[in-house]
């Protein structure tokens, strides 16, 4: 998997989020980042839960398993959208800039 251009990836993800983001009272939007050790890649999903409806998950992107790229894209997306971000299967991975462990989350 080739290294993607960060600005292009951020623009693509933000565009895909904007198509799905329709703010309503009581709606919950979260971003789920899943590390796939077999690919190796990071899969991005937008989880959406509107009141009185079933939750759904929309795929946003697949990034290579490069933590510096992940951190840069995440920073760009977080500048526009301030959603809760959940991580899965990150094990002992650490952020390159701070050295802190990537936080794991339980079931949603």
């Amino acid at each position: 998997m080739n290294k993607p251009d960060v600005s292009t990836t951020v623009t693509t993800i933000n565009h895909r989020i904007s198509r799905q983001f329709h703010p309503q009272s009581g709606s919950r939007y979260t971003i789920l980042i899943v590390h796939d050790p077999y690919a190796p890649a990071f899969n991005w999903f937008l989880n959406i839960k509107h009141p009185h409806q079933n939750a759904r998950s929309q795929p946003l992107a697949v990034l290579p398993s490069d933590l510096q790229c992940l951190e840069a894209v995440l920073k760009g997306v977080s500048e526009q959208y301030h959603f809760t971000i959940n991580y899965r299967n990150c094990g002992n991975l650490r952020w390159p800039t701070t050295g802190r462990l990537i936080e794991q989350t339980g079931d949603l």
Side-chain angles (χ1 to χ4, degrees):
M1 187 177 289
N2 296 333
K3 264 190 142 173
D5 176 45
V6 172
S7 63
T8 304
T9 304
V10 168
T11 303
T12 302
I13 291 173
N14 284 340
H15 177 70
R16 290 176 182 169
I17 290 172
S18 71
R19 287 188 300 179
Q20 299 293 324
F21 182 54
H22 307 291
Q24 298 176 8
S25 177
S27 295
R28 296 179 68 186
Y29 293 87
T30 58
I31 293 176
L32 176 64
I33 300 174
V34 180
H35 180 244
D36 182 0
Y38 302 108
F42 288 103
N43 299 309
W44 287 56
F45 300 93
L46 177 64
N47 292 335
I48 304 166
K49 173 67 174 105
H50 294 296
H52 312 294
Q53 293 181 5
N54 290 331
R56 60 191 173 131
S57 184
Q58 297 291 325
L60 294 174
V62 177
L63 297 178
S65 189
D66 176 8
L67 289 172
Q68 290 177 337
C69 177
L70 174 69
E71 192 170 33
V73 170
L74 188 57
K75 182 179 180 221
V77 171
S78 296
E79 287 175 358
Q80 183 167 352
Y81 295 102
H82 304 284
F83 297 148
T84 300
I85 301 170
N86 296 313
Y87 306 93
R88 296 281 163 77
N89 300 334
C90 289
N92 295 338
L93 299 177
R94 294 182 177 271
W95 293 114
T97 56
T98 62
R100 294 180 64 201
L101 281 173
I102 297 176
E103 297 177 23
Q104 300 289 313
T105 56
D107 291 332
L108 298 176

